[in-house]
Amino acid sequence: MAHPIVTPRADMAGRQPGLWAAAFALAMAAIAFAEYRGLLGGWRSLPFVAVAALLLIPMTRAANNRQAAAGALSPATRRYNRRMLIWSLGYVLCLGMAMTIKNYFDPQGPLLWGIAVLPSVPMVYFVWTLARYIVEEDDEYLRYRQTSAALVGLALVLLAGTLWGFMETFGVVPHVPAWWVVPVWAIGLGLGQAIMAAAERRTDRA
Amino acid sequence: MRNRLKVLRAERDWSQQDLADQLQVSRQSVNAIETGKYDPSLPLAFRIADLFAMAIEDIFLRD
């Protein structure tokens, strides 16, 4: 049950992971806009996407710092954050490879199947990371907190998926690819964590 | 469930972090238990009781 206390660490990453996440989203949006205007595209976009993905590293450090400052960083949480960073970079890499092969080589048959499956491969690591956190977390309250937040994510996926699915069936909304479940779940997870963190800040001030 | 954790901690002049260090949990765990937002498991309740050298029912009170 050893639980070494992790103290806050002040470095360049700061304590605002949301700002780094926003910077990453902004960079990706800028790349998409440049592609739309014909300034980037195909392999020319890859270095820019790679540099944008590097923003996820200080984002993870900032998340660690923020959780440490709030008294909610355990060794298992630190490992979870690091694994999620590896997943994010792996996902960007696999998706980039699949899109590049698709755009330049017009693959058919088994190769097409291979690249169609490729972006989903890191999801195995993602799911494993979620499971490992629950197993490795010694701090029962932090485990409860993460599990509750994950359930908020699941609730959002079920509600949004069912609602959109039926609206699609009745032809009132366009088709949405099924891979949207992950971003929707992640939004729910973030929402759940934010609600609990806000409640903790209120009791901290009291 | 109500508890006397905050009072017991104050009597010993311990911060939440001091108590968390001794229980080997995060400060947020102590905060959540202290404010009644989270009821600890039986093993953690025993660790808390052992630390204060008290019985569990002298720390955690029925609603």
Side-chain angles (χ1 to χ4, degrees):
Chain A
M1 295 292 279
H3 189 297
I5 297 308
V6 186
T7 51
R9 192 166 54 93
D11 61 19
M12 271 183 63
R15 292 179 189 173
Q16 298 293 335
L19 291 181
W20 292 103
F24 173 70
L26 203 64
M28 296 303 282
I31 292 167
F33 181 72
E35 286 186 348
Y36 173 72
R37 297 296 298 267
L39 300 169
L40 287 177
W43 63 268
R44 284 177 301 158
S45 299
L46 289 181
F48 292 93
V49 173
V51 170
L54 292 178
L55 291 168
L56 296 172
I57 296 171
M59 185 192 81
T60 303
R61 286 206 189 115
N64 281 339
N65 292 344
R66 188 183 181 89
Q67 286 167 311
L73 181 65
S74 65
T77 309
R78 194 183 277 278
R79 281 195 293 275
Y80 170 84
N81 289 342
R82 191 186 65 231
R83 287 167 182 161
M84 280 300 177
L85 170 66
I86 293 169
W87 166 74
S88 305
L89 296 175
Y91 178 69
V92 170
L93 182 73
C94 287
L95 184 60
M97 279 168 57
M99 295 300 286
T100 304
I101 293 170
K102 175 85 172 72
N103 291 338
Y104 283 92
F105 299 101
D106 190 26
Q108 303 293 325
L111 181 59
L112 182 60
W113 274 87
I115 63 161
V117 169
L118 188 61
S120 304
V121 172
M123 283 309 294
V124 177
Y125 185 71
F126 177 91
V127 172
W128 177 82
T129 296
L130 294 175
R132 282 310 298 169
Y133 176 76
I134 301 301
V135 171
E136 293 175 3
E137 183 56 86
D138 290 330
D139 190 310
E140 61 183 54
Y141 172 68
L142 295 183
R143 193 168 55 231
Y144 156 80
R145 199 170 175 263
Q146 179 72 3
T147 309
S148 302
L151 287 174
V152 174
L154 177 62
L156 197 62
V157 166
L158 293 175
L159 289 171
T162 307
L163 176 67
W164 196 274
F166 276 116
M167 289 198 301
E168 204 179 304
T169 300
F170 285 88
V172 294
V173 292
H175 175 67
V176 168
W179 50 256
W180 266 102
V181 289
V182 179
V184 170
W185 181 84
I187 289 167
L189 179 81
L191 194 67
Q193 287 170 336
I195 291 167
M196 278 180 279
E200 285 166 357
R201 278 196 296 276
R202 276 198 301 277
T203 53
D204 269 345
R205 281 197 296 269
Chain B
M1 185 177 280
R2 290 177 298 128
N3 66 78
R4 298 180 55 227
L5 220 49
K6 191 171 183 177
V7 173
L8 294 170
R9 185 169 62 73
E11 284 172 0
R12 287 156 181 80
D13 201 22
W14 289 346
S15 65
Q16 284 188 342
Q17 188 65 63
D18 293 335
L19 180 56
D21 289 346
Q22 293 186 74
L23 292 170
Q24 296 189 323
V25 298
S26 64
R27 188 186 63 76
Q28 277 307 339
S29 295
V30 170
N31 185 49
I33 296 168
E34 206 169 77
T35 53
K37 287 188 181 303
Y38 177 76
D39 292 332
S41 66
L42 209 47
L44 180 54
F46 272 117
R47 268 159 56 205
I48 294 169
D50 288 347
L51 182 65
F52 288 110
M54 297 170 79
I56 287 178
E57 58 266 37
D58 292 332
I59 301 173
F60 295 94
L61 313 169
R62 287 187 184 87
D63 282 327

